[in-house]
């Protein structure tokens, strides 16, 4: 729950922050994905280098899996929305 909440918060704030500052949807989507997918790999490296127990890297590995799933889902939904909008424009719909 906490890991998913952390990454979802990053994705949501990463999207709406730039939108509030007047950036386009495309820029906001990029910032969202970049913000939501931060530092899990770094956490794995730091945990394995600084602690003898390899299980210290487990939360970071779970976090990396979580942000990969969430980020890929957002990217897929946004891509499908863009494709549908492009088709509608090509067909002459508003």
């Amino acid at each position: 729950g906490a890991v998913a909440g952390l990454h979802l918060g990053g994705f949501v704030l990463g999207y709406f922050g730039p939108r509030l500052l007047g950036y386009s949807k495309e820029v906001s989507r990029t910032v969202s994905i970049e913000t939501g997918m931060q530092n899990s790999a770094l956490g794995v490296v730091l945990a394995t280098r600084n602690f003898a127990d390899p299980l210290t890297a487990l939360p970071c590995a779970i976090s990396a899996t979580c942000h990969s799933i969430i980020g890929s889902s957002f990217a897929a939904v946004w891509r499908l929305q863009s494709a549908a909008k492009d088709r509608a424009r090509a067909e002459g719909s508003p």
Side-chain angles (χ1 to χ4, degrees):
V3 171
L6 171 70
H7 291 297
L8 280 172
F11 285 110
V12 170
L13 291 174
Y15 181 81
F16 287 108
R19 290 298 291 157
L20 290 172
L21 295 173
Y23 287 95
S24 68
K25 286 183 181 180
E26 290 78 15
V27 169
S28 297
R29 290 172 180 175
T30 302
V31 172
S32 173
I33 290 173
E34 288 296 322
T35 304
M37 298 182 74
Q38 294 292 320
N39 297 328
S40 295
L42 177 62
V44 170
V45 171
L46 291 173
T48 55
R49 290 183 116 194
N50 295 300
F51 298 99
D53 185 0
L55 289 178
T56 58
L58 186 60
C60 300
I62 293 169
S63 178
T65 303
C66 187
H67 77 66
S68 294
I69 292 169
I70 295 170
S72 297
S73 299
F74 276 123
V77 167
W78 286 333
R79 178 65 190 127
L80 291 172
Q81 286 176 343
S82 293
K85 197 176 285 185
D86 291 344
R87 279 193 302 274
R89 275 192 217 130
E91 294 171 356
S93 299

